[in-house]
Amino acid sequence: MTQYDAIVIGTGQAGPPLATRLAKAGMKVAIIERKLFGGTCVNTGCIPTKTLVASARAAAVARRAREYGVVVDGSIQIDMKAVKARKDKISGASRTGLEKSLKSMQNCAVYEGQAQFESPREIKINGELIGAPRIFINVGARAIVPDMPGLDRVPYLTNSSMMDVDFVPEHLVIVGGSYVGLEFAQMYRRFGSEVTIIEKGPRLIAREDEDVSGAIAEIVEREGIHLRLNAECIRFEQGGNGPVAGVNCTVGPPDVRGTHVLLAVGRRPNTDDLGLEKTGIAADERGYIAVNDRLETNVPGIWALGDCNGRGGFTHTSYNDFEIVADNLLDGGSRRVSDRITTYALFIDPPLGRAGLTAAEAIRAGKRVLAGKRPMTRVGRAIEKGETQGFMKVLVDADTKQILGAAILGTGGDEAIHCILDVMYSKAPYTLLKQAMHIHPTVSELIPTVLGELEPVADSESSQAALPE
Ligand SMILES: Cc1cc2nc3c(=O)[nH]c(=O)nc-3n(C[C@H](O)[C@H](O)[C@H](O)COP(=O)(O)OP(=O)(O)OC[C@H]3O[C@@H](n4cnc5c(N)ncnc54)[C@H](O)[C@@H]3O)c2cc1C
């Protein structure tokens, strides 16, 4: 049995930088990948989808060119093979760059195949046993295929198989109205597909405040995307031209006839075929590995990082897991997962940037909430760009004066949110940001203004009612 100082399972967002740090610290390291180097973000998640979002935006801007006084001669055509080729090139460069750097690294052995625990200190890979006193699990997650009647009788796509699509589906039916579903919905609508989102809940992206969900629904409906909300008992059958989805909605016809179905109803951790039962590692009922604040499992010498520990679900949370583990192990740090502030974006156009609590969460936590809100129709930069959909909203704790959270749904919202996030990390009172001078004309320049117009939020689950528009 080959003995290492550390074994890393998975080459997602935490594994490779951790293997690099450990190898540079002089440890003999093994890293194992069963499929594509770089994992979800690089191959089937962030990078390819944001590349496709960029192509879709180019199409949308070209269609609006006249509004800006720009004449495009001829009709706007989508060359999906070229769209896919651009995506493959960008994602492929990232994958091969990572593979090369791992394979050329000193002190690091790369194994390709399925890793499985044989014991808490031993991993079986391609019939070989390797061992280490430290094992880091970074196995990620995959799309859930829900147990819906008839789904086994119709072809369906997931975020992974969508990466092979090099044509414009005539009618894409997307099951799931959250982050992944919404990004694919808008991009394929912009590529020319008819798109229907089927969502079993009463609103899109239900973890957000109602005003955010409502504004996102307006944005996508304005582009001609059909929404079927409250779709309980979703079922499928094969129709003459393609799959038919049955939806028991309160409004609209009972069937949606599409040509292609995309499942976007969540992710499940890749922990079911890892041999966890041979280690005593605790996992919850959905398979997420239980970790403490330092990302240690209940078995000494084994850590779990990234999507498989259920503490994040984003590339930046997985990378932050790496930073926490590396600092604590190698630099004598005492970093904790609970010190980080929730933040993420939804990359529709315009994007949603989010930080901290929603208003509903803050109220549920018993906070006295002040909020400032401004529609993008009153943001100079948005008007100049002709992109006035959405709004910005900042929440403040009336007692501590600290910022509790924010949502910036609008042009540049994915970038502007960071000025709020960084003030939250500094734990400074909101008045610091209220008095800051920002660059004109930007979206961020209105954040101090919004903070100067705070009003109490009513003690209700909805943040919408009490806020001025
Ligand atoms: C469509 C889509 C869009 C997304 N967009 C964004 C975004 O814009 N921004 C963002 O922050 N996040 C986004 N995400 C989420 C993000 O991609 C993930 O949170 C991130 O990739 C998680 O990384 P990870 O390190 O946990 O694991 P992963 O990147 O999933 O990597 C895990 C790796 O482990 C390998 N593996 C699994 N089991 C084994 C085994 N037993 N043996 C060997 N190897 C194994 C897998 O093959 C994989 O390569 C998106 C996700 C999807 C699906």
Side-chain angles (χ1 to χ4, degrees), residues 33-49:
E33 175 52 57
R34 72 174 175 191
K35 211 169 172 197
L36 299 173
F37 285 84
T40 308
C41 179
V42 167
N43 299 289
T44 59
C46 342
I47 294 181
T49 55

Side-chain angles (χ1 to χ4, degrees), residues 182-199:
L182 283 165
E183 289 181 13
F184 277 113
Q186 191 186 49
M187 79 175 78
Y188 272 87
R189 181 68 192 138
R190 289 177 167 195
F191 291 148
S193 295
E194 185 176 352
V195 175
T196 302
I197 296 177
I198 300 179
E199 165 57 53

Side-chain angles (χ1 to χ4, degrees), residues 1-285:
M1 182 172 81
T2 313
Q3 194 63 28
Y4 291 93
D5 295 314
I7 296 173
V8 177
I9 309 174
T11 65
Q13 293 302 305
L18 184 60
T20 307
R21 279 295 314 273
L22 296 170
K24 281 195 177 145
M27 288 191 202
K28 188 180 165 194
V29 178
I31 187 162
I32 309 171
E33 175 52 57
R34 72 174 175 191
K35 211 169 172 197
L36 299 173
F37 285 84
T40 308
C41 179
V42 167
N43 299 289
T44 59
C46 342
I47 294 181
T49 55
K50 267 78 260 184
T51 308
L52 294 170
V53 162
S55 289
R57 179 171 157 83
V61 170
R63 286 187 194 110
R64 290 185 60 198
R66 274 244 164 232
E67 285 177 41
Y68 298 85
V70 176
V71 180
V72 177
D73 217 359
S75 67
I76 309 296
Q77 308 281 332
I78 305 294
D79 177 349
M80 267 315 274
K81 289 202 167 28
V83 167
K84 178 176 177 294
R86 176 176 183 273
K87 180 266 294 175
D88 288 344
K89 192 172 168 201
I90 292 170
S91 152
S94 189
R95 177 174 58 251
T96 51
L98 174 66
E99 183 174 351
K100 260 192 213 147
S101 88
L102 287 175
K103 287 184 173 169
S104 60
M105 198 190 302
Q106 268 196 346
N107 290 345
C108 182
V110 177
Y111 289 81
E112 289 179 66
Q114 165 84 25
Q116 276 187 318
F117 279 96
E118 273 299 302
S119 78
R121 297 283 173 269
E122 294 163 309
I123 298 290
K124 198 170 178 187
I125 166 81
N126 302 331
E128 184 187 341
L129 261 194
I130 60 174
R134 300 169 199 86
I135 298 181
F136 302 92
I137 307 171
N138 177 220
V139 292
R142 62 183 186 273
I144 289 177
V145 176
D147 191 12
M148 287 173 174
L151 195 54
D152 53 338
R153 294 193 296 278
V154 297
Y156 57 79
L157 295 152
T158 65
N159 69 288
S160 298
S161 48
M162 279 304 280
M163 296 301 119
D164 300 326
V165 171
D166 63 356
F167 57 92
V168 178
E170 203 178 311
H171 184 176
L172 183 62
V173 175
I174 300 178
V175 185
S178 201
Y179 305 87
V180 172
L182 283 165
E183 289 181 13
F184 277 113
Q186 191 186 49
M187 79 175 78
Y188 272 87
R189 181 68 192 138
R190 289 177 167 195
F191 291 148
S193 295
E194 185 176 352
V195 175
T196 302
I197 296 177
I198 300 179
E199 165 57 53
K200 80 178 169 21
R203 59 189 172 97
L204 296 175
I205 206 162
R207 82 194 252 188
E208 304 302 336
D209 282 329
E210 280 179 33
D211 51 356
V212 173
S213 290
I216 288 171
E218 263 174 44
I219 288 166
V220 297
E221 282 190 307
R222 190 186 283 192
E223 296 202 24
I225 293 168
H226 313 294
L227 297 185
R228 301 301 307 272
L229 305 176
N230 296 304
E232 284 172 19
C233 311
I234 303 166
R235 62 199 180 278
F236 294 91
E237 63 187 67
Q238 192 60 35
N241 288 332
V244 179
V247 285
N248 284 359
C249 298
T250 37
V251 284
D255 288 340
V256 177
R257 292 177 180 273
T259 55
H260 296 79
V261 171
L262 166 64
L263 301 177
V265 293
R267 316 262 307 154
R268 55 175 291 192
N270 292 322
T271 52
D272 46 336
D273 51 5
L274 196 54
L276 287 185
E277 63 287 353
K278 295 191 177 164
T279 62
I281 293 174
D284 72 12
E285 67 287 352

